[in-house]
Amino acid sequence: MTQEQLWQVLDPLWADPRVLSALFCGSAATIVLLKWLGHRQIQQKMEEARRTRDLALERMEKAARRFKQENPGTQTAHILSLTMVELAEKLKEGSLSPESVLYSYIGKALEVNQEVNCVIDFVHGCEDQLQKLKKQKEKGLLYGIPVSIKDHIDCKGHVSTGGLVKFLGQVKEEDSVIVQVLKSQGAIPFVKTNIPQTMINYDCSNLIFGQTLNPLNHQKTPGGSSGGEGALIAGGGSLLGIGSDVAGSIRLPSSFCGLCGLKPTGFRISKLGVISPIAGMSSVIGMLGPIARDVDSLALCMKALLCEEMFRLDPTVPPIPFDEEVYTSSKPLRIGYYEEDGYFQPSPSMKRAVQQTRKLLQEAGHTIVPFAPPKIDYMVDELFTRGIFSDGAAHLVDSFKGDIVDPNLKSQFNTYRLPALLKRILAIILKPIYPRIARDLSALCGVGSAKNLWDQHVAVAVG
Ligand SMILES: CCCCCCCCCCCCCCCCCC(=O)NCCO
């Protein structure tokens, strides 16, 4: 049949409304079917990930039960009551065994997890690490200390999910540099903890593993994105956790859960072997860092991390060790503070905490100087928000491809994915009534060009 003959047959069909409606319904049904199939595939992948998590938790439970049966005299309550520094000393002098500490924390982490849903994986290699440690002559600074690890930090043999379906099934072949360094210092990474989908959020829920609760109040979030860490440590299921922070992801969960957390200075710790949906964003520098119950634990962790092994494994990390002299010095310091930053309104309790801290520092002989953060609107809107979303949120939106958006993130996500022109128009319309939302929308358009990005990097560097 020639093309001409084909058209002669088809031509009258186009005019037939029954053919047209059949075509329309057929296409619509195909689209719905394809969507349903895609959705089902995503659901199946998430179910598989939950099954893997449940098996890991069962394995943890068996390990804890077996140890308890074989060692009925273990002083679990005593071990769990010790601070990290006390525990490190007892492990080093040999009055406590690394086994008794590890299995006490495995048992406690399971208990806390049942209450708040914060553990997503058991780092089963921890039992081998334990045996390896016992054979080593040299005891590192974190000898025998169990450490919990945020989801997206690679551990050999495990998946770093980012709370996203696209990463499921990608089992890591190597430990991240930070996990290697922790192990070289004698620490025992033993569980991985929950995060919000993409980690660009301050709550702690994703559709794969669900919502993590705050152990201090189940009606509240533990904060995010290192929320699983915050919840586990605050519940007593871990002494030390490694989180990450671009824009508050260590600091917020630490604050919400009554803990101490540190976002170290940029580039201080290697980020090799860590996944991120916004990996190329370099206007606001993200860092890995510790969360713990007290400041001395953070200091011990930083001392352990800033070592030759870290500098050897990642030569981009400046080889500057922990400054013991500054940390232990009793020389009075000059410390700046503010009760309000001029952008976010602090709660009365936050204000009170700053006032009490100021008083204590003054009583300890330090000089306290009030200051106002300069050009705060410009800093927050133009350098911080426009910096994080310098690509107009394109990478973040892309990371949801082949995924279902967590309902907690839906309104944020819908805003991110608006076309830049629409964001600009909305910003103009909203400016007189909601000036701050207008500025956010404008910032979410990003910088527009590589030239502007260079300019922005300069602005970040010089303020
Ligand atoms: C009409 C609605 C307007 C919505 C405006 C949305 C404004 C967005 C404000 C910026 C929010 C930035 C969130 C960043 C979270 C980062 C958390 C973090 O530190 N993650 C790092 C993990 O390594």
Side-chain angles (χ1 to χ4, degrees), residues 24-189:
F24 178 76
C25 293
S27 317
T30 311
I31 291 171
V32 171
L33 182 71
L34 286 176
K35 274 210 156 192
W36 180 80
L37 283 174
H39 210 272
R40 208 177 68 144
Q41 213 174 28
I42 296 171
Q43 294 286 8
Q44 281 170 344
K45 283 185 188 167
M46 292 200 283
E47 276 163 25
E48 175 67 33
R50 283 192 285 275
R51 271 196 296 276
T52 310
R53 186 248 342 242
D54 294 345
L55 285 175
L57 293 175
E58 266 174 40
R59 198 165 167 177
M60 255 173 107
E61 214 167 319
K62 271 190 200 148
R65 204 178 322 123
R66 193 191 55 235
F67 181 80
K68 213 170 169 182
Q69 279 163 359
E70 289 169 8
N71 302 274
T74 307
Q75 294 178 299
T76 307
H78 170 64
I79 291 171
L80 296 174
S81 74
L82 295 171
T83 67
M84 186 171 127
V85 173
E86 287 167 344
L87 198 67
E89 271 162 20
K90 290 194 187 297
L91 282 160
K92 198 158 232 176
E93 73 191 18
S95 60
L96 277 179
S97 71
E99 282 101 325
S100 61
V101 174
L102 175 64
Y103 290 103
S104 296
Y105 269 97
I106 289 181
K108 186 65 187 176
L110 281 166
E111 242 177 64
V112 178
N113 181 56
Q114 274 195 343
E115 192 198 319
V116 295
N117 185 40
C118 53
V119 174
I120 58 153
D121 208 350
F122 174 44
V123 182
H124 43 75
C126 68
E127 296 189 286
D128 298 334
Q129 164 76 354
L130 184 70
Q131 297 312 322
K132 213 168 125 191
L133 270 190
K134 287 192 341 196
K135 288 183 203 132
Q136 276 169 8
K137 273 203 186 130
E138 190 113 342
K139 291 180 177 172
L141 285 173
L142 297 175
Y143 175 76
I145 300 286
V147 182
S148 43
I149 306 287
K150 184 175 176 176
D151 166 297
H152 71 131
I153 302 170
D154 294 354
C155 290
K156 187 178 172 179
H158 297 267
V159 176
S160 300
T161 78
L164 291 160
V165 167
K166 74 170 181 178
F167 291 120
L168 293 179
Q170 297 181 21
V171 178
K172 298 296 170 183
E173 285 174 15
E174 290 299 332
D175 280 331
S176 49
V177 165
I178 192 164
V179 167
Q180 292 183 52
V181 175
L182 285 167
K183 284 183 174 175
S184 76
Q185 288 284 15
I188 310 182

Side-chain angles (χ1 to χ4, degrees), residues 167-386:
F167 291 120
L168 293 179
Q170 297 181 21
V171 178
K172 298 296 170 183
E173 285 174 15
E174 290 299 332
D175 280 331
S176 49
V177 165
I178 192 164
V179 167
Q180 292 183 52
V181 175
L182 285 167
K183 284 183 174 175
S184 76
Q185 288 284 15
I188 310 182
F190 76 119
V191 283
K192 295 195 84 180
T193 56
N194 205 22
I195 50 166
Q197 188 178 32
T198 73
M199 290 170 289
I200 303 303
N201 192 247
Y202 296 127
D203 192 0
C204 190
S205 107
N206 61 70
L207 288 170
I208 308 168
F209 301 118
Q211 172 80 48
T212 299
L213 307 177
N214 189 322
L216 307 178
N217 179 346
H218 291 182
Q219 304 302 313
K220 307 269 184 191
T221 174
S225 61
S226 313
E229 284 303 329
L232 181 65
I233 300 168
S238 174
L239 278 168
L240 174 67
I242 302 296
S244 61
D245 188 320
V246 170
S249 275
I250 287 177
R251 292 161 287 170
L252 264 81
S254 300
S255 164
F256 289 12
C257 297
L259 299 169
C260 299
L262 178 75
K263 177 186 181 185
T265 301
F267 310 108
R268 200 75 169 100
I269 290 175
S270 173
K271 287 191 285 179
L272 292 178
V274 178
I275 62 154
S276 165
I278 51 165
M281 191 281 294
S282 55
S283 300
V284 184
I285 303 301
M287 258 293 100
L288 303 178
I291 304 183
R293 294 179 206 156
D294 51 50
V295 173
D296 283 338
S297 308
L298 302 181
L300 180 57
C301 178
M302 289 307 290
K303 251 180 255 181
L305 289 175
L306 300 175
C307 65
E308 283 308 320
E309 185 68 349
M310 170 83 78
F311 311 142
R312 186 184 69 78
L313 290 170
D314 186 348
T316 68
V317 174
I320 307 168
F322 185 88
D323 196 334
E324 188 69 50
E325 207 181 306
V326 169
Y327 186 63
T328 48
S329 160
S330 52
K331 221 170 81 185
L333 300 170
R334 191 176 146 81
I335 302 167
Y337 86 100
Y338 53 80
E339 284 177 16
E340 294 192 22
D341 64 9
Y343 196 94
F344 295 108
Q345 178 123 30
S347 65
S349 60
M350 285 165 82
K351 236 179 176 171
R352 207 166 48 244
V354 173
Q355 286 160 356
Q356 283 171 359
T357 310
R358 185 200 62 202
K359 195 162 166 274
L360 287 170
L361 288 169
Q362 261 167 341
E363 283 165 7
H366 301 292
T367 306
I368 308 299
V369 189
F371 81 98
K375 300 190 277 183
I376 189 74
D377 286 351
Y378 167 74
M379 295 287 178
V380 176
D381 300 329
E382 292 306 314
L383 302 189
F384 169 79
T385 310
R386 201 182 291 276

